[in-house]
Amino acid sequence: MSRNAKIAAGGVAAGIILLFWLPWWAALLIVLGVPAAAYFTLDPAQRRRLRRVTRKELGR
């Protein structure tokens, strides 16, 4: 399994556990908020590079 697949599987497992521990709206807030917060901590040059790479992969 690739590194990204392991991270995705861990995220899904954490999300399922959070659904049992917290109300659904709190789990949703955490699942959506953590990646958004990580994106906003990038500096503008890193954001541009991330968008450029993502667009190139979508164009394949």
Side-chain angles (χ1 to χ4, degrees):
M1 202 170 4
S2 71
R3 181 177 181 262
N4 288 339
K6 289 177 186 177
I7 292 171
V12 169
I16 291 171
I17 291 169
L18 285 174
L19 282 175
F20 289 115
W21 263 8
L22 300 171
W24 68 271
W25 57 268
L28 182 66
L29 184 65
I30 292 170
V31 168
L32 295 178
V34 169
Y39 177 78
F40 287 120
T41 59
L42 297 174
D43 64 60
Q46 290 172 322
R47 289 183 199 164
R48 277 193 303 275
R49 191 171 72 183
L50 182 62
R51 285 194 303 266
R52 187 175 60 238
V53 167
T54 303
R55 270 189 256 126
K56 282 183 183 176
E57 289 178 357
L58 289 175
R60 285 186 184 180

